[in-house]
């Protein structure tokens, strides 16, 4: 999608440090990390957020979670643990409206909100 930062990363119109890629999913380091490991996992197809999931595109959720496990293994945090976080919409603080999960790890993570 034109003007979508994450679509531009998929299209290599913007630089990123790719940590995982397959035909459906891409993952790259967050530009403003909040932990030693902070990876953004996205579907290559543009979906704004969870509100835009449908019967026909919801398989990306499985793809994203499968990728998350592989990335955690690759980065050596699978055993110690990690958080997968999705912010959906304005009240949740979503700033990039291309569906994404934050994989955060590498430190004892702070207090859980939930
Ligand atoms: P959210 O606030 O959940 O929408 O998360 C958006 C995330 O995307 C933030 O953590 C940003 O630091 C990150 N981000 C924005 N632009 C880029 C970029 N060009 N490359 C990597 N991460 C980015
Ligand atoms: Zn997009």
């Amino acid at each position: 999608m034109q003007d979508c930062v994450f679509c531009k990363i998929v299209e290599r119109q913007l630089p990123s440090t790719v940590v995982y890629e397959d035909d459906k999913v891409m993952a790259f380091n967050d530009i403003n990390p909040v932990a030693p490991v902070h990876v953004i996992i996205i579907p290559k197809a543009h979906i704004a957020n969870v509100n835009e999931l449908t019967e026909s595109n919801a398989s990306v959720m499985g793809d994203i979670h499968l990728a998350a496990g592989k990335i955690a293994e690759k980065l050596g945090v699978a055993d110690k643990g990690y958080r997968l976080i999705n912010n959906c919409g304005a009240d949740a603080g979503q700033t990039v409206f291309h569906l994404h999960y934050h994989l955060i790890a590498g430190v004892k993570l702070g207090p859980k909100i939930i």
Side-chain angles (χ1 to χ4, degrees), residues 11-64:
E11 298 299 327
R12 263 69 176 185
Q13 292 169 10
L14 279 178
S16 72
T17 303
V18 177
V19 298
Y20 176 84
E21 184 171 16
D22 62 30
D23 56 335
K24 300 274 174 47
V25 170
M26 188 168 174
F28 47 87
N29 286 333
D30 196 292
I31 202 168
N32 188 19
V34 300
V37 172
H38 187 169
V39 174
I40 298 286
I41 310 172
I42 66 169
K44 286 186 169 176
H46 182 86
I47 298 168
N49 60 27
V50 168
N51 292 338
E52 285 198 356
L53 289 169
T54 65
E55 299 274 336
S56 60
N57 67 16
S59 61
V60 298
M61 298 301 278
D63 300 329
I64 287 168

Side-chain angles (χ1 to χ4, degrees), residues 5-6 9 28-32 87 93-96 100 102:
V5 169
F6 289 173
I9 287 175
F28 47 87
N29 286 333
D30 196 292
I31 202 168
N32 188 19
N87 298 315
Q94 185 178 7
T95 59
V96 178
H100 58 278
H102 301 255

Side-chain angles (χ1 to χ4, degrees), residues 1 4-8 44-47 97-98:
M1 188 203 194
C4 171
V5 169
F6 289 173
C7 282
K8 286 183 177 163
K44 286 186 169 176
H46 182 86
I47 298 168
F97 282 77
H98 180 128

Side-chain angles (χ1 to χ4, degrees), residues 56-101:
S56 60
N57 67 16
S59 61
V60 298
M61 298 301 278
D63 300 329
I64 287 168
H65 281 77
L66 284 170
K70 292 177 188 172
I71 293 162
E73 280 289 341
K74 180 177 175 182
L75 300 183
V77 298
D79 288 343
K80 290 199 85 172
Y82 53 94
R83 283 195 191 141
L84 278 177
I85 299 168
N86 170 256
N87 298 315
C88 180
D91 277 4
Q94 185 178 7
T95 59
V96 178
F97 282 77
H98 180 128
L99 179 67
H100 58 278
Y101 278 71

